[in-house]
Amino acid sequence: MALKRAFIFLGPPGAGKGTQAKRMAQRSGLAHLSTGDMLREAVSRGTELGRVVRPIMERGELVPDDLVMKMIEERLARPDCAGGLMFDGFPRTLAQAERLDAILESAGFGKPVVVDLSVSHDKLMRRLTGRWTCSVGGEIYNVYDAPPKTPGICDHDGGKLVQRADDRAEVVKERLAAYDRATKPLTEYYQRQGVLHTVDAAASVDEVSRALSEIVERAERRDGHL
Ligand code: AP5
């Protein structure tokens, strides 16, 4: 496995991890690994993994670490991961972060570039309950702030827009609680390693993108890629 560069997007549900990771992956050509998308695909295909995780995700709880790690390790073996990685929604617990460190190290990587998309919980409910996603290409919209040109239809490929089952208000509350409990401590973990960058994710999508581009550019200069 010839991994080159790894970026990690941290942040609460609705912070914009998927929106920004998709944009950055399109620009950079790095493989975009969203554990949420992978798990939802397993649910919609009705695989054994999907049947196990479906009720957990519907309650807004985290999927057990061993299931997530098995899925990620299988994914990392695929050839498109050879040029570098962009993790979205992973790692989400200390155990996942420590396991990922070991994987990256054994594949000859230095430390990852970690970005925490920081935004207060009160802004997130509107983002999540207003989110619609293209059922074909995964493009993300928001009926309040970033609506499609034609309601219910993707601007890019004409796909039908759908809402996620876990974007109901009561499930969002549990997802935010799970984030505070298990994932927020990772900011300290990566801070201690000196690899954490914090971005104000309450800013517009374009402003957040610009801040991320600057972080990437600085990291590339530091590592001698520019
Ligand atoms: P996952 O799919 O990872 O969901 P999440 O972390 O809860 O994050 P979201 O996808 O809801 O939000 P996002 O930050 O990507 O925001 P987005 O860009 O879409 O996980 C789902 C579930 O899977 C978990 O609850 C868990 O059960 C399980 N799971 C996944 N990974 C796991 C793991 N590693 N371990 C254990 N369990 C795991 O944007 C949201 C909305 O806001 C959109 O409408 C968008 O248009 C809008 N928006 C984005 N940016 C902005 C902006 N700057 N200004 C205004 N609006 C914006």
Side-chain angles (χ1 to χ4, degrees), residues 16 19-20 23 127 146 201-212:
T19 301
Q20 298 297 339
R23 278 191 173 197
R127 286 194 184 181
S204 73
V205 171
D206 287 340
E207 284 168 324
V208 175
S209 281
R210 270 196 294 280
L212 290 172

Side-chain angles (χ1 to χ4, degrees), residues 14 17-19 35 40 61 92 96 131 141 164 175 203:
K17 302 181 295 294
T19 301
T35 41
R40 276 184 291 279
E61 295 167 7
R92 226 160 168 123
Q96 291 179 18
R131 168 169 56 189
Y141 296 88
R164 268 170 50 175
R175 288 164 60 201

Side-chain angles (χ1 to χ4, degrees), residues 214-226:
E214 283 167 20
I215 289 168
V216 172
E217 209 167 290
R218 276 205 306 274
E220 293 196 327
R221 280 188 201 290
R222 188 199 58 212
D223 296 349
H225 287 264
L226 282 180

